[in-house]
PDB file of all heavy atoms in Angstrom:
ATOM      1  N   ARG A 212       9.857  -8.523 -18.957  1.00 93.00           N
ATOM      2  CA  ARG A 212       9.773  -9.784 -19.688  1.00 93.00           C
ATOM      3  C   ARG A 212       8.428 -10.385 -19.340  1.00 93.00           C
ATOM      4  O   ARG A 212       7.772  -9.927 -18.396  1.00 93.00           O
ATOM      5  CB  ARG A 212      10.923 -10.726 -19.350  1.00 93.00           C
ATOM      6  CG  ARG A 212      11.047 -11.115 -17.893  1.00 93.00           C
ATOM      7  CD  ARG A 212      12.297 -11.950 -17.674  1.00 93.00           C
ATOM      8  NE  ARG A 212      12.572 -12.224 -16.285  1.00 93.00           N
ATOM      9  CZ  ARG A 212      12.099 -13.265 -15.612  1.00 93.00           C
ATOM     10  NH1 ARG A 212      11.333 -14.152 -16.231  1.00 93.00           N
ATOM     11  NH2 ARG A 212      12.398 -13.452 -14.335  1.00 93.00           N
ATOM     12  N   ARG A 213       8.017 -11.346 -20.068  1.00 91.00           N
ATOM     13  CA  ARG A 213       6.653 -11.853 -19.929  1.00 91.00           C
ATOM     14  C   ARG A 213       6.338 -12.235 -18.483  1.00 91.00           C
ATOM     15  O   ARG A 213       6.975 -13.110 -17.902  1.00 91.00           O
ATOM     16  CB  ARG A 213       6.447 -13.053 -20.845  1.00 91.00           C
ATOM     17  CG  ARG A 213       5.013 -13.574 -20.857  1.00 91.00           C
ATOM     18  CD  ARG A 213       4.828 -14.662 -21.883  1.00 91.00           C
ATOM     19  NE  ARG A 213       3.458 -15.155 -21.907  1.00 91.00           N
ATOM     20  CZ  ARG A 213       2.462 -14.567 -22.567  1.00 91.00           C
ATOM     21  NH1 ARG A 213       2.701 -13.467 -23.255  1.00 91.00           N
ATOM     22  NH2 ARG A 213       1.244 -15.077 -22.533  1.00 91.00           N
ATOM     23  N   GLY A 214       5.340 -11.572 -17.905  1.00 89.00           N
ATOM     24  CA  GLY A 214       4.887 -11.880 -16.559  1.00 89.00           C
ATOM     25  C   GLY A 214       5.672 -11.229 -15.442  1.00 89.00           C
ATOM     26  O   GLY A 214       5.338 -11.415 -14.264  1.00 89.00           O
ATOM     27  N   PHE A 215       6.705 -10.430 -15.799  1.00 94.00           N
ATOM     28  CA  PHE A 215       7.547  -9.840 -14.767  1.00 94.00           C
ATOM     29  C   PHE A 215       7.933  -8.403 -15.135  1.00 94.00           C
ATOM     30  O   PHE A 215       8.108  -8.078 -16.306  1.00 94.00           O
ATOM     31  CB  PHE A 215       8.831 -10.654 -14.560  1.00 94.00           C
ATOM     32  CG  PHE A 215       8.588 -12.030 -14.016  1.00 94.00           C
ATOM     33  CD1 PHE A 215       8.383 -13.103 -14.875  1.00 94.00           C
ATOM     34  CD2 PHE A 215       8.555 -12.253 -12.653  1.00 94.00           C
ATOM     35  CE1 PHE A 215       8.142 -14.375 -14.377  1.00 94.00           C
ATOM     36  CE2 PHE A 215       8.322 -13.525 -12.148  1.00 94.00           C
ATOM     37  CZ  PHE A 215       8.117 -14.583 -13.012  1.00 94.00           C
ATOM     38  N   ILE A 216       8.081  -7.581 -14.110  1.00 96.00           N
ATOM     39  CA  ILE A 216       8.618  -6.229 -14.246  1.00 96.00           C
ATOM     40  C   ILE A 216       9.760  -6.098 -13.251  1.00 96.00           C
ATOM     41  O   ILE A 216       9.602  -6.420 -12.068  1.00 96.00           O
ATOM     42  CB  ILE A 216       7.544  -5.163 -13.979  1.00 96.00           C
ATOM     43  CG1 ILE A 216       6.505  -5.158 -15.112  1.00 96.00           C
ATOM     44  CG2 ILE A 216       8.158  -3.780 -13.807  1.00 96.00           C
ATOM     45  CD1 ILE A 216       5.350  -4.208 -14.884  1.00 96.00           C
ATOM     46  N   THR A 217      10.912  -5.631 -13.720  1.00 97.00           N
ATOM     47  CA  THR A 217      12.071  -5.434 -12.856  1.00 97.00           C
ATOM     48  C   THR A 217      12.299  -3.945 -12.648  1.00 97.00           C
ATOM     49  O   THR A 217      12.355  -3.168 -13.612  1.00 97.00           O
ATOM     50  CB  THR A 217      13.334  -6.063 -13.468  1.00 97.00           C
ATOM     51  OG1 THR A 217      13.122  -7.480 -13.618  1.00 97.00           O
ATOM     52  CG2 THR A 217      14.552  -5.827 -12.587  1.00 97.00           C
ATOM     53  N   VAL A 218      12.414  -3.553 -11.384  1.00 97.00           N
ATOM     54  CA  VAL A 218      12.707  -2.165 -11.048  1.00 97.00           C
ATOM     55  C   VAL A 218      14.193  -1.925 -11.269  1.00 97.00           C
ATOM     56  O   VAL A 218      15.033  -2.562 -10.621  1.00 97.00           O
ATOM     57  CB  VAL A 218      12.324  -1.853  -9.589  1.00 97.00           C
ATOM     58  CG1 VAL A 218      12.752  -0.441  -9.200  1.00 97.00           C
ATOM     59  CG2 VAL A 218      10.819  -2.032  -9.382  1.00 97.00           C
ATOM     60  N   THR A 219      14.532  -1.021 -12.185  1.00 97.00           N
ATOM     61  CA  THR A 219      15.940  -0.716 -12.478  1.00 97.00           C
ATOM     62  C   THR A 219      16.360   0.665 -11.987  1.00 97.00           C
ATOM     63  O   THR A 219      17.554   0.929 -11.873  1.00 97.00           O
ATOM     64  CB  THR A 219      16.201  -0.820 -13.993  1.00 97.00           C
ATOM     65  OG1 THR A 219      15.274   0.012 -14.691  1.00 97.00           O
ATOM     66  CG2 THR A 219      16.024  -2.257 -14.472  1.00 97.00           C
ATOM     67  N   ASP A 220      15.401   1.536 -11.714  1.00 97.00           N
ATOM     68  CA  ASP A 220      15.712   2.877 -11.213  1.00 97.00           C
ATOM     69  C   ASP A 220      14.602   3.293 -10.254  1.00 97.00           C
ATOM     70  O   ASP A 220      13.649   3.969 -10.628  1.00 97.00           O
ATOM     71  CB  ASP A 220      15.826   3.868 -12.374  1.00 97.00           C
ATOM     72  CG  ASP A 220      16.211   5.275 -11.919  1.00 97.00           C
ATOM     73  OD1 ASP A 220      16.323   5.505 -10.696  1.00 97.00           O
ATOM     74  OD2 ASP A 220      16.380   6.141 -12.800  1.00 97.00           O
ATOM     75  N   ARG A 221      14.731   2.873  -8.992  1.00 96.00           N
ATOM     76  CA  ARG A 221      13.688   3.176  -8.005  1.00 96.00           C
ATOM     77  C   ARG A 221      13.541   4.678  -7.797  1.00 96.00           C
ATOM     78  O   ARG A 221      12.424   5.195  -7.704  1.00 96.00           O
ATOM     79  CB  ARG A 221      13.988   2.487  -6.681  1.00 96.00           C
ATOM     80  CG  ARG A 221      12.900   2.762  -5.658  1.00 96.00           C
ATOM     81  CD  ARG A 221      13.127   2.125  -4.303  1.00 96.00           C
ATOM     82  NE  ARG A 221      12.160   2.676  -3.376  1.00 96.00           N
ATOM     83  CZ  ARG A 221      10.981   2.130  -3.112  1.00 96.00           C
ATOM     84  NH1 ARG A 221      10.612   1.015  -3.698  1.00 96.00           N
ATOM     85  NH2 ARG A 221      10.140   2.709  -2.258  1.00 96.00           N
ATOM     86  N   ALA A 222      14.660   5.389  -7.708  1.00 96.00           N
ATOM     87  CA  ALA A 222      14.586   6.835  -7.499  1.00 96.00           C
ATOM     88  C   ALA A 222      13.822   7.512  -8.639  1.00 96.00           C
ATOM     89  O   ALA A 222      13.039   8.446  -8.419  1.00 96.00           O
ATOM     90  CB  ALA A 222      15.985   7.425  -7.365  1.00 96.00           C
ATOM     91  N   GLY A 223      14.038   7.016  -9.855  1.00 97.00           N
ATOM     92  CA  GLY A 223      13.324   7.569 -10.996  1.00 97.00           C
ATOM     93  C   GLY A 223      11.832   7.301 -10.920  1.00 97.00           C
ATOM     94  O   GLY A 223      11.011   8.160 -11.275  1.00 97.00           O
ATOM     95  N   LEU A 224      11.449   6.111 -10.451  1.00 96.00           N
ATOM     96  CA  LEU A 224      10.037   5.813 -10.254  1.00 96.00           C
ATOM     97  C   LEU A 224       9.421   6.730  -9.206  1.00 96.00           C
ATOM     98  O   LEU A 224       8.294   7.214  -9.366  1.00 96.00           O
ATOM     99  CB  LEU A 224       9.851   4.356  -9.832  1.00 96.00           C
ATOM    100  CG  LEU A 224       9.992   3.279 -10.904  1.00 96.00           C
ATOM    101  CD1 LEU A 224       9.930   1.895 -10.270  1.00 96.00           C
ATOM    102  CD2 LEU A 224       8.900   3.414 -11.966  1.00 96.00           C
ATOM    103  N   GLU A 225      10.164   6.982  -8.131  1.00 96.00           N
ATOM    104  CA  GLU A 225       9.658   7.868  -7.088  1.00 96.00           C
ATOM    105  C   GLU A 225       9.488   9.293  -7.612  1.00 96.00           C
ATOM    106  O   GLU A 225       8.570  10.010  -7.205  1.00 96.00           O
ATOM    107  CB  GLU A 225      10.586   7.843  -5.879  1.00 96.00           C
ATOM    108  CG  GLU A 225      10.563   6.515  -5.125  1.00 96.00           C
ATOM    109  CD  GLU A 225      11.439   6.521  -3.890  1.00 96.00           C
ATOM    110  OE1 GLU A 225      12.139   7.529  -3.652  1.00 96.00           O
ATOM    111  OE2 GLU A 225      11.422   5.526  -3.150  1.00 96.00           O
ATOM    112  N   ASP A 226      10.351   9.708  -8.521  1.00 96.00           N
ATOM    113  CA  ASP A 226      10.215  11.034  -9.121  1.00 96.00           C
ATOM    114  C   ASP A 226       9.025  11.113 -10.081  1.00 96.00           C
ATOM    115  O   ASP A 226       8.454  12.187 -10.283  1.00 96.00           O
ATOM    116  CB  ASP A 226      11.492  11.409  -9.878  1.00 96.00           C
ATOM    117  CG  ASP A 226      12.665  11.713  -8.951  1.00 96.00           C
ATOM    118  OD1 ASP A 226      12.411  12.010  -7.760  1.00 96.00           O
ATOM    119  OD2 ASP A 226      13.814  11.633  -9.420  1.00 96.00           O
TER     120      ASP A 226
END
Side-chain angles (χ1 to χ4, degrees):
R212 59 185 173 89
R213 185 174 180 83
F215 295 90
I216 290 176
T217 299
V218 175
T219 54
D220 183 356
R221 181 181 169 93
L224 284 174
E225 291 183 356
D226 289 340

